[in-house]
């Protein structure tokens, strides 16, 4: 089980925006190895 925080944001809506950015980045790279820098805010 994963127990580490990737980031904390002011709202669930902002966290979902970040997740969407991650998924877009993965799709753009056809699932290849991807590096994503988590935004501070």
């Amino acid at each position: 089980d994963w127990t580490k925080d990737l980031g904390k944001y002011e709202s669930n809506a902002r966290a979902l925006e970040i997740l969407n950015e991650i998924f877009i980045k993965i799709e753009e790279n056809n699932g290849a190895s991807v590096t994503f820098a988590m935004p501070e805010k």
Side-chain angles (χ1 to χ4, degrees), residues 6-16 18 36-41:
L6 294 176
K8 290 190 177 190
Y9 299 98
E10 65 274 4
S11 68
N12 284 344
R14 178 62 179 142
L16 288 173
I18 301 302
F36 184 85
M38 297 298 285
E40 297 247 349
K41 293 186 178 200

Side-chain angles (χ1 to χ4, degrees), residues 20-34:
N20 191 47
E21 288 179 28
I22 293 170
F23 288 128
I24 289 170
K25 183 89 165 177
I26 291 169
E27 287 177 353
E28 287 174 350
N29 290 286
N30 296 318
S33 181
V34 175

